[in-house]
Amino acid sequence: MVKLLSPDTPSVTLAATAREPAVTLPAIGQGSWHMGENRAPRRDEVHALQYGLDLGMTLIDTAEMYADGGAEKIVGEALRGRRDEAFVVSKVYPWNAGRQDAVAACERSLKRLGSDYLDLYLLHWPGNVPLEETLKAFEHLQAQGKIRRYGVSNFDIDDMHALHSLPGGNASAVNQVLYHLGSRGIEHSLLPWQRQHVLPTMAYCPLAQGGQELDHPEVRAIADTFGVTPAQVLLAWTIRPAPDGQRDVIAISKAVQPAHVEANAAALALRLDDASLARLDAAFPAPTRKPPLDIV
Ligand code: NDP
């Protein structure tokens, strides 16, 4: 059972399903893309995830794609003996999302993770396998207890309409999409639609993959005001509450360096005030027209 470090931790609740009670997750979780690719020592990647878990970032995002399964193995190693402390998200390739193939892909992911269940299984992006087939596979995996929830990733508004028109489509727990201060396209129509349907968003690349947003003078100035780093400003901005005050965005930042892990967990305590949010709005305006969904 995942726990919040404190009752004040910004959190997002995924609704109950027919089989599972609602679950409340810290609004900042951990990514794992590029782990298992030997860019950093394996030991450091495992320790980073464990350290993040210790600091309350209990949601860990991975995918069969990352390092061709290597990232799932790192996650599995990090969770050895403490699987129940984490909320593990993995993703299936679109071409593995058929009725039988998705079951086999999920079983391979579970084996690499050393676990007998996923907390959340996502279709990584829309593909050619009919969505109803993927939903049937997800429902089957759920009935078997191999996944607790399912959802989608990289779905734009039309894809969400298609999903919701199908049986089981509105049981999708999240849509995981690219979202950061420098890429606000989802705010035009996808995010409002998801809010209307009480569908939380998982924001990937919340740190713009270490991009230029971290060096922007306005971001730096706000970071200085709060005595934090630009990365922490980006994370606190990503998970800021919706206009109704509810939180429904979970940021999944990836970090291997211990100082980065610490900073990301500490960003859970940063509350940007209205004046800072207005300055960030001015520096990085929200879109006035619907752009194509941003992806990496
Ligand atoms: P992020 O925006 O999380 O950026 C990661 C980079 O930022 C790394 O270079 C990391 O360095 C650095 N970093 C981390 N914390 C800090 C900090 N506090 N200060 C400064 N730099 C920092 O990019 P990702 O592409 O990794 O996205 C996050 C996660 O989202 C992925 O790992 C993956 O799980 C998921 N994702 C999902 C996609 C999808 O299609 N569904 C697509 C892309 C990502 P270091 O590692 O050296 O600490």
Side-chain angles (χ1 to χ4, degrees):
M1 163 107 162
V2 291
K3 291 197 195 105
L4 297 180
L5 273 193
S6 105
D8 299 332
T9 303
S11 59
V12 174
T13 297
L14 305 188
T17 71
R19 293 181 178 81
E20 291 291 320
V23 60
T24 299
L25 302 164
I28 299 178
Q30 305 187 77
S32 67
W33 194 19
H34 300 310
M35 289 189 180
E37 290 178 3
N38 299 319
R39 292 189 185 202
R42 179 185 183 82
R43 191 185 59 241
D44 293 358
E45 294 174 342
V46 169
H47 285 166
L49 293 172
Q50 291 172 329
Y51 191 31
L53 203 53
D54 293 340
L55 296 176
M57 294 189 293
T58 46
L59 184 152
I60 300 181
D61 178 78
T62 189
E64 63 171 333
M65 180 184 122
Y66 303 159
D68 203 13
E72 290 180 325
K73 288 185 185 164
I74 300 274
V75 174
E77 205 171 319
L79 294 182
R80 204 169 294 153
R82 54 191 306 194
R83 168 67 183 91
D84 60 347
E85 292 174 45
F87 185 95
V88 178
V89 184
S90 193
K91 312 185 203 80
V92 60
Y93 274 126
W95 49 87
N96 281 346
R99 180 71 176 80
Q100 305 298 331
D101 291 348
V103 174
C106 181
E107 284 168 354
R108 289 194 297 270
S109 287
L110 290 175
K111 195 161 175 217
R112 288 188 289 260
L113 286 159
S115 178
D116 51 10
Y117 69 97
L118 288 171
D119 294 283
L120 180 60
Y121 200 32
L122 307 180
L123 173 60
H124 207 147
W125 63 87
N128 295 329
V129 170
L131 212 41
E132 44 273 61
E133 221 192 287
T134 303
L135 288 169
K136 286 218 170 69
F138 283 166
E139 283 171 347
H140 178 72
L141 285 165
Q142 216 175 15
Q144 288 185 308
K146 289 179 179 159
I147 65 172
R148 296 203 165 156
R149 285 180 168 76
Y150 59 82
V152 294
S153 177
N154 295 301
F155 269 43
D156 203 348
I157 185 105
D158 292 345
D159 305 310
M160 292 311 298
H161 288 150
L163 178 72
H164 269 231
S165 72
L166 296 170
N170 60 8
S172 184
V174 302
N175 184 15
Q176 182 180 118
V177 288
L178 188 151
Y179 185 46
H180 60 73
L181 185 60
S183 181
R184 302 182 59 172
I186 66 166
E187 288 178 43
H188 184 271
S189 37
L190 183 62
L191 189 58
W193 186 91
Q194 293 190 183
R195 289 190 163 148
Q196 196 190 335
H197 291 81
V198 199
L199 179 72
T201 300
M202 287 181 70
Y204 74 69
C205 303
L207 297 170
Q209 300 189 296
Q212 59 190 16
E213 289 78 1
L214 296 177
D215 278 329
H216 192 281
E218 199 66 303
V219 176
R220 288 201 161 276
I222 291 168
D224 288 346
T225 312
F226 285 92
V228 298
T229 67
Q232 290 174 307
V233 171
L234 257 67
L235 286 178
W237 178 88
T238 303
I239 63 165
R240 71 202 183 286
D244 68 358
Q246 300 294 313
R247 287 187 195 265
D248 59 357
V249 179
I250 301 174
I252 42 169
S253 42
K254 173 263 181 185
V256 175
Q257 298 177 50
H260 286 168
V261 176
E262 254 168 52
N264 298 349
L268 282 165
L270 174 61
R271 307 282 185 277
L272 296 173
D273 55 14
D274 289 346
S276 304
L277 291 172
R279 284 168 67 186
L280 291 171
D281 270 338
F284 296 90
T288 51
R289 276 194 283 171
K290 164 87 180 75
L293 184 66
D294 206 358
I295 53 170
V296 284

